[in-house]
Amino acid sequence: MAHPQLSNSLSLHPNLIPLYRPLHHHHPPSPFPSLFTKPKPLLRFTRRTAEPVQPRFLVAAVGQAEPERLPQLNAQQEDFLSKSPQQVSQLKNRVVFGLGIGISVGGIVLAGGWVFAAALSAAVFAGAREYFELVRSNGITEGMTPPPRYVSRVCSVICALMPLFVMYRGHIDVSVTSAAFVLAMTLLLQKGSPRFAQLSSAIFGLFYCGYLPCFWVKLRCGLAAPAMNTRIGAIWPVLLGGQAHWTVGLVATLVTISSIISADTFAFLGGKAFGRTPLTSISPKKTWEGTIIGFCGCIATSVVLSRVFSWPLSLPSAIALGVLSFFGSVFGDLTESMIKRDAGVKDSGSLIPGHGGILDRADSYVFTGALAHSFVKTFLPLYGV
């Protein structure tokens, strides 16, 4: 029978509920009371709240199973989830700006003339500025003395003027020789003690950013022989130049640029799908599997376009042009990767969202223009027509 005071307290306070612990039989005293002694019976009251009472787990000496918990994300999964929106945004920018650049470059190549030379000059100027910023970075300056900033600016301006000079004068050797003399004279007349490292880095910048891109002007605008067998020229509007607009230089430029794009695309996709063996320590992300797939894609593109444009006429010439385009693309990419590795940076700049700088996008084209021009001018009889 319940105690009167207890009954009254329960009736007066409906929010108070009893919590019981079961009664246990008494055991004889144990030498280890903390481990084996059972708790005494207990009756106490607690106030009922809006939140449910959490269960209490009494852990015995032998232990009991812990309540089941949700699986915790490891650091790698959390990092992946945090980076996913950023990676999606970067991929979107890469695709959008890549398509925009491709369409713009196609229109500039078709236009030719001063439009092509002016656009190349602007790209050369931006690329030269990025190059000298890389040379001035902490990773490279630890082992050499960079040229003064005003010398870098003079060299960038000279590199930008060289394609225009070649376009209207056609003598690339004279422009390079004169530019190298002006650059050396500027370095030797500077205050303080000139260093050989300053001269070597500046002259290489003149060669890499100015001299080599000029061959694209010589390839596009210098090879003016008409590609008579090209079917596209027969339907090309007269207001845009008609049949005479489709020259050997235009077709050779389109085939070479398309082969480079194909090589980069197939190498990237092949490396993502099958890449296992690193190609070189200069660029750890490149693999032999991706390189081989890019090589096959480059040659296939060159052969297919040679059939579309009916230039060059022979299959071995189309294959040889594809091989040269591939090797020029790969070693141009590796050269820029070597410069960035010594500089300790990932991208040469941030001018193009999702792509980096001008050198990051144009590194595959630096050597290829010179190789393609030399091949067409020297090894193809009548320019392959």
Side-chain angles (χ1 to χ4, degrees):
M1 188 172 184
H3 196 275
Q5 294 181 356
L6 179 60
S7 302
N8 294 335
S9 62
L10 289 174
S11 60
L12 293 176
H13 301 282
N15 290 334
L16 294 178
I17 59 174
L19 289 179
Y20 294 94
R21 286 185 180 176
L23 296 175
H24 297 274
H25 297 286
H26 292 281
H27 294 275
S30 171
F32 304 96
S34 61
L35 297 179
F36 298 99
T37 302
K38 299 294 184 178
K40 297 180 179 180
L42 177 63
L43 174 63
R44 63 187 180 89
F45 295 87
T46 181
R47 183 174 296 276
R48 183 179 296 167
T49 59
E51 296 181 357
V53 178
Q54 300 295 331
R56 300 172 181 268
F57 294 94
L58 300 177
V59 181
V62 272
Q64 296 179 356
E66 294 184 358
E68 185 178 357
R69 298 178 180 177
L70 294 176
Q72 298 293 327
L73 295 177
N74 56 32
Q76 185 177 5
Q77 291 173 331
E78 291 179 355
D79 184 65
F80 173 78
L81 291 176
S82 63
K83 287 185 177 180
S84 293
Q86 182 180 0
Q87 291 176 346
V88 171
S89 177
Q90 186 176 6
L91 179 61
K92 182 179 178 180
N93 290 336
R94 190 180 184 89
V95 173
V96 171
F97 282 91
L99 290 176
I101 293 173
I103 295 173
S104 301
V105 170
I108 291 171
V109 171
L110 287 174
W114 68 269
V115 176
F116 183 82
L120 184 63
S121 295
V124 164
F125 179 76
R129 294 297 301 272
E130 291 178 358
Y131 166 79
F132 283 106
E133 288 299 323
L134 291 175
V135 171
R136 199 173 287 109
S137 63
N138 294 332
I140 294 182
T141 54
E142 291 178 356
M144 59 166 285
T145 304
R149 192 171 292 275
Y150 73 91
V151 174
S152 302
R153 293 171 180 171
V154 170
C155 188
S156 299
V157 173
I158 292 175
C159 290
L161 294 177
M162 288 173 66
L164 295 174
F165 184 85
V166 172
M167 172 68 191
Y168 292 103
R169 294 297 179 181
H171 301 291
I172 190 171
D173 297 333
V174 176
S175 62
V176 172
T177 304
S178 302
F181 173 75
V182 172
L183 194 60
M185 183 176 61
T186 305
L187 283 170
L188 293 174
L189 293 178
Q190 67 172 317
K191 295 181 180 180
S193 177
R195 304 296 299 272
F196 174 72
Q198 297 175 332
L199 180 63
S200 60
S201 60
I203 294 296
F204 180 78
L206 187 68
F207 170 79
Y208 183 73
C209 300
Y211 175 75
L212 290 176
C214 287
F215 280 97
W216 284 106
V217 177
K218 294 178 70 67
L219 179 67
R220 170 62 183 92
C221 306
L223 302 179
M228 302 301 296
N229 298 323
T230 303
R231 298 183 183 91
I232 298 179
I235 60 174
W236 192 253
V238 178
L239 295 177
L240 298 178
Q243 179 79 32
H245 182 76
W246 286 84
T247 62
V248 171
L250 173 57
V251 177
T253 302
L254 289 175
V255 172
T256 305
I257 291 178
S258 300
S259 299
I260 295 172
I261 295 175
S262 178
D264 292 342
T265 303
F266 276 92
F268 175 78
L269 297 178
K272 285 290 185 182
F274 308 103
R276 296 294 183 273
T277 310
L279 178 64
T280 175
S281 59
I282 296 176
S283 184
K285 293 185 179 180
K286 288 183 173 55
T287 61
W288 277 105
E289 292 81 2
T291 303
I292 294 173
I293 294 175
F295 177 74
C296 297
C298 182
I299 294 179
T301 302
S302 179
V303 171
V304 170
L305 291 181
S306 69
R307 301 283 80 89
V308 172
F309 294 117
S310 299
W311 184 96
L313 294 178
S314 65
L315 180 62
S317 298
I319 295 176
L321 182 59
V323 171
L324 285 177
S325 299
F326 174 76
F327 281 103
S329 170
V330 170
F331 284 98
D333 193 348
L334 292 178
T335 300
E336 201 244 352
S337 297
M338 178 181 63
I339 298 174
K340 291 191 299 183
R341 183 194 64 180
D342 287 352
V345 297
K346 180 182 178 182
D347 297 322
S348 63
S350 57
L351 183 63
I352 309 174
H355 291 264
I358 288 292
L359 289 181
D360 294 320
R361 291 298 90 204
D363 53 2
S364 300
Y365 302 84
V366 174
F367 293 101
T368 315
L371 294 175
H373 177 267
S374 301
F375 175 74
V376 175
K377 190 75 179 288
T378 306
F379 295 100
L380 291 186
L382 297 177
Y383 298 161
V385 178

